[in-house]
Amino acid sequence: MYAVTPGEAPYADEPHGGLPGGTRGDLRGVGGGAVRPIARGGLVACVSDVPLDQFGEEPLRRHLEDLDWVEGVARAHHAVVETLAAAEPTAPVRLVTVYTGDDQVRNLLDRRHDDFAEILARVAGRREWGVKAYLRRETARPAATPSEERSAPSPARAPAEPEGGGPGAAYLRRRKESLRGREDLWRAAAERAEELHAALGRLAVASRRHRPQDPRLSGRSESMLLNGAYLVDPAREEEFAAVVAAHSDRFLDAEITGPWAPYSFTMIDLGSDRDGGVR
């Protein structure tokens, strides 16, 4: 199963096969299977059939250790969700959510009807945007703030650095200054990232802060200080983008991604539905 959308029972003679919003009937999902609707109580679950020799409990456990296989499944799942979300409010379900029959899917729609309906109402007409902010690597040590300047000892009272000690002592002094500079930069950039997240949260309908990504996933060597998701009304998207741009400065490199289907604001934990057959 890929997602749940609002809708009524489809009719066999509908040219789009009863998929939400007139989505084309030849939409294909994981393994090339045709995506089809299962309707219940004003909701439509969009599903496709998969072979049990790959998606049964034991084979699936083995396949999930194959990163190439997982990537292919994830791309197919994402493509279906993005197509559906372009047509109707859409609540994606977790990757490789597998049920053993249509009746189990209908039972799920009965049991979790109110949860799905609430989520779909929240995301209707809105889009998810991602914002990532990184420590700007080439930034020099930040200047002292006014409060820091006031608290610093005057030159007359500051302890004198020893002039002797040879090359070893000079190296240690330089090393200490370098470490202090990096700590100051990190602190200033982290504060700036917090300010950015708060400002975007005031513009968004809802916000989520995800864990920073590993450089192998982000594709960047700089430290990620913010990995946020924001559900935004279209009327505020230009203002939202302007805030992101305004926070890219000598401390922070901020970038915006999207729009996406609202993954961060629609997921329902189906793990407790033991009688539903979910894997």
Side-chain angles (χ1 to χ4, degrees), residues 230-265:
Y230 307 87
L231 187 65
V232 184
D233 282 320
R236 308 207 74 175
E237 287 180 352
E238 288 189 12
E239 185 180 3
F240 183 90
V243 170
V244 176
H247 281 75
S248 286
D249 55 19
R250 68 192 187 96
F251 300 120
L252 210 62
D253 184 12
E255 63 180 25
I256 187 170
T257 63
W260 311 107
Y263 285 97
S264 299
F265 307 96

Coordinates of all heavy atoms in Angstrom, one line a residue, residues 230-265:
Y230 N 8.4 21.7 6.7 CA 7.4 22.7 7.0 C 6.3 22.6 6.1 O 6.4 22.4 4.9 CB 8.1 24.1 6.9 CG 9.3 24.2 7.7 CD1 10.6 23.9 7.1 CD2 9.3 24.7 9.0 CE1 11.7 23.9 7.8 CE2 10.5 24.8 9.7 CZ 11.7 24.4 9.1 OH 12.9 24.5 9.9
L231 N 5.1 22.6 6.7 CA 3.8 22.5 5.9 C 3.4 23.9 5.7 O 3.1 24.6 6.7 CB 2.8 21.7 6.7 CG 1.5 21.4 5.9 CD1 1.8 20.5 4.7 CD2 0.5 20.7 6.9
V232 N 3.3 24.3 4.4 CA 3.1 25.8 4.1 C 1.9 26.0 3.2 O 1.7 25.2 2.2 CB 4.4 26.3 3.5 CG1 4.3 27.8 3.2 CG2 5.6 26.0 4.3
D233 N 1.1 27.0 3.5 CA 0.1 27.5 2.6 C 0.7 28.1 1.4 O 1.7 28.8 1.5 CB -0.8 28.5 3.3 CG -1.8 27.8 4.2 OD1 -2.3 26.8 3.9 OD2 -2.1 28.4 5.3
P234 N 0.1 27.9 0.2 CA 0.7 28.5 -1.0 C 0.9 30.0 -1.0 O 1.8 30.6 -1.5 CB -0.3 28.1 -2.1 CG -0.9 26.8 -1.6 CD -1.0 27.0 -0.1
A235 N 0.0 30.7 -0.3 CA 0.0 32.1 -0.2 C 1.2 32.6 0.5 O 1.6 33.8 0.4 CB -1.2 32.7 0.4
R236 N 1.9 31.8 1.3 CA 3.0 32.2 2.1 C 4.4 31.6 1.6 O 5.4 31.8 2.3 CB 2.8 31.8 3.6 CG 1.5 32.3 4.2 CD 1.5 32.5 5.7 NE 2.3 33.7 6.0 CZ 2.4 34.1 7.3 NH1 1.8 33.5 8.3 NH2 3.0 35.3 7.5
E237 N 4.3 30.9 0.5 CA 5.5 30.2 0.0 C 6.6 31.2 -0.4 O 7.8 31.0 -0.1 CB 5.2 29.3 -1.1 CG 4.4 28.1 -0.7 CD 4.1 27.1 -1.8 OE1 4.3 27.5 -3.0 OE2 3.6 26.0 -1.5
E238 N 6.3 32.4 -1.0 CA 7.3 33.3 -1.4 C 8.0 33.9 -0.1 O 9.2 34.1 -0.1 CB 6.7 34.4 -2.2 CG 6.4 34.0 -3.7 CD 6.0 35.2 -4.5 OE1 6.2 36.3 -4.1 OE2 5.4 34.9 -5.6
E239 N 7.1 34.3 0.9 CA 7.7 34.8 2.1 C 8.6 33.8 2.8 O 9.6 34.1 3.4 CB 6.5 35.2 3.0 CG 6.9 35.9 4.3 CD 5.7 36.3 5.2 OE1 4.6 36.0 4.8 OE2 6.0 36.9 6.2
F240 N 8.1 32.5 2.8 CA 8.9 31.4 3.3 C 10.3 31.3 2.7 O 11.3 31.3 3.4 CB 8.1 30.1 3.2 CG 8.8 28.9 3.8 CD1 8.5 28.5 5.1 CD2 9.6 28.1 3.0 CE1 9.1 27.4 5.6 CE2 10.2 27.0 3.6 CZ 9.9 26.6 4.9
A241 N 10.3 31.3 1.4 CA 11.6 31.3 0.6 C 12.5 32.5 1.0 O 13.7 32.4 1.1 CB 11.4 31.2 -0.9
A242 N 11.9 33.6 1.1 CA 12.7 34.9 1.4 C 13.3 34.8 2.8 O 14.5 35.2 3.0 CB 11.8 36.1 1.3
V243 N 12.6 34.2 3.8 CA 13.2 34.0 5.1 C 14.4 33.1 5.0 O 15.5 33.3 5.6 CB 12.2 33.5 6.1 CG1 12.8 33.0 7.4 CG2 11.1 34.5 6.3
V244 N 14.3 32.0 4.2 CA 15.5 31.1 4.1 C 16.6 31.8 3.5 O 17.8 31.7 4.0 CB 15.1 29.9 3.2 CG1 16.3 29.0 3.0 CG2 14.0 29.0 3.9
A245 N 16.4 32.6 2.4 CA 17.5 33.3 1.8 C 18.1 34.3 2.7 O 19.3 34.5 2.7 CB 16.9 34.0 0.5
A246 N 17.3 35.0 3.5 CA 17.9 36.0 4.4 C 18.7 35.4 5.5 O 19.5 36.1 6.1 CB 16.7 36.7 5.1
H247 N 18.6 34.1 5.8 CA 19.4 33.5 6.9 C 20.7 32.8 6.3 O 21.4 32.1 7.1 CB 18.6 32.5 7.6 CG 17.7 33.1 8.7 ND1 16.5 33.8 8.3 CD2 17.8 33.2 10.0 CE1 16.0 34.3 9.4 NE2 16.7 34.0 10.4
S248 N 20.9 32.9 5.0 CA 22.2 32.4 4.5 C 23.2 33.6 4.6 O 23.1 34.6 4.0 CB 22.0 32.0 3.0 OG 21.4 30.8 2.9
D249 N 24.1 33.4 5.5 CA 25.1 34.5 5.8 C 26.5 33.9 6.1 O 26.7 32.8 5.6 CB 24.6 35.3 7.0 CG 24.3 34.4 8.3 OD1 24.9 33.3 8.3 OD2 23.6 34.9 9.2
R250 N 27.3 34.7 6.7 CA 28.7 34.2 6.9 C 28.8 33.1 7.9 O 29.9 32.5 8.0 CB 29.6 35.4 7.3 CG 29.3 35.9 8.7 CD 30.1 37.3 8.9 NE 30.0 37.8 10.2 CZ 30.9 37.6 11.2 NH1 32.0 36.8 10.9 NH2 30.8 38.1 12.4
F251 N 27.8 32.8 8.6 CA 27.8 31.7 9.6 C 27.1 30.4 9.0 O 27.5 29.3 9.2 CB 27.0 32.1 10.9 CG 27.6 33.2 11.6 CD1 26.9 34.3 11.8 CD2 28.9 33.2 12.0 CE1 27.4 35.4 12.5 CE2 29.5 34.2 12.7 CZ 28.7 35.4 12.9
L252 N 26.0 30.6 8.2 CA 25.1 29.6 7.8 C 24.9 29.5 6.3 O 24.8 30.6 5.7 CB 23.8 29.8 8.5 CG 22.9 28.6 8.9 CD1 23.7 27.7 9.9 CD2 21.6 29.1 9.6
D253 N 24.9 28.4 5.8 CA 24.5 28.1 4.4 C 23.2 27.4 4.4 O 23.1 26.2 4.7 CB 25.6 27.4 3.7 CG 25.3 27.2 2.2 OD1 24.4 27.9 1.7 OD2 26.0 26.4 1.5
A254 N 22.1 28.1 4.1 CA 20.7 27.5 4.1 C 20.2 27.2 2.7 O 20.4 28.0 1.8 CB 19.8 28.4 4.9
E255 N 19.5 26.1 2.6 CA 19.0 25.7 1.3 C 17.6 25.2 1.5 O 17.2 24.5 2.5 CB 19.8 24.7 0.5 CG 20.0 23.4 1.2 CD 20.8 22.4 0.4 OE1 21.7 22.9 -0.4 OE2 20.7 21.2 0.6
I256 N 16.7 25.4 0.4 CA 15.3 24.9 0.5 C 15.1 23.9 -0.5 O 15.7 23.9 -1.6 CB 14.4 26.1 0.2 CG1 12.9 25.7 0.5 CG2 14.6 26.8 -1.1 CD1 12.0 26.9 0.5
T257 N 14.4 22.8 -0.2 CA 14.1 21.7 -1.1 C 12.6 21.5 -1.2 O 11.8 21.8 -0.2 CB 14.8 20.4 -0.7 OG1 14.2 20.0 0.6 CG2 16.3 20.6 -0.6
G258 N 12.1 21.0 -2.3 CA 10.7 20.8 -2.5 C 10.1 21.5 -3.6 O 10.8 22.1 -4.5
P259 N 8.8 21.6 -3.7 CA 7.8 21.0 -2.7 C 7.7 19.5 -2.8 O 7.9 18.9 -3.9 CB 6.5 21.7 -3.1 CG 6.6 21.9 -4.6 CD 8.0 22.2 -4.8
W260 N 7.3 18.9 -1.7 CA 7.2 17.4 -1.6 C 5.8 17.1 -1.2 O 5.0 17.9 -0.7 CB 8.1 16.9 -0.5 CG 9.5 17.3 -0.6 CD1 10.2 18.2 0.2 CD2 10.5 16.9 -1.6 NE1 11.5 18.4 -0.2 CE2 11.7 17.6 -1.3 CE3 10.5 16.0 -2.7 CZ2 12.9 17.4 -2.1 CZ3 11.6 15.8 -3.4 CH2 12.8 16.5 -3.1
A261 N 5.4 15.8 -1.4 CA 4.2 15.3 -0.8 C 4.4 15.4 0.7 O 5.6 15.3 1.2 CB 4.0 13.9 -1.2
P262 N 3.4 15.6 1.5 CA 3.6 15.9 2.9 C 3.9 14.7 3.8 O 3.2 14.4 4.8 CB 2.3 16.6 3.3 CG 1.3 15.9 2.4 CD 2.0 15.7 1.1
Y263 N 5.0 14.1 3.5 CA 5.4 12.9 4.3 C 5.6 13.2 5.8 O 5.2 12.4 6.6 CB 6.8 12.4 3.8 CG 6.8 11.7 2.4 CD1 7.1 12.3 1.3 CD2 6.5 10.3 2.4 CE1 7.1 11.6 0.0 CE2 6.5 9.6 1.2 CZ 6.8 10.3 0.0 OH 6.8 9.6 -1.2
S264 N 6.2 14.3 6.1 CA 6.5 14.6 7.5 C 5.2 14.9 8.4 O 5.3 14.9 9.6 CB 7.4 15.8 7.6 OG 8.6 15.5 6.9
F265 N 4.1 15.1 7.7 CA 2.9 15.5 8.4 C 1.7 14.5 8.2 O 0.6 14.9 8.6 CB 2.5 16.9 8.0 CG 3.7 17.9 8.2 CD1 4.5 18.2 7.1 CD2 4.0 18.4 9.4 CE1 5.5 19.0 7.2 CE2 5.1 19.2 9.5 CZ 5.8 19.6 8.4

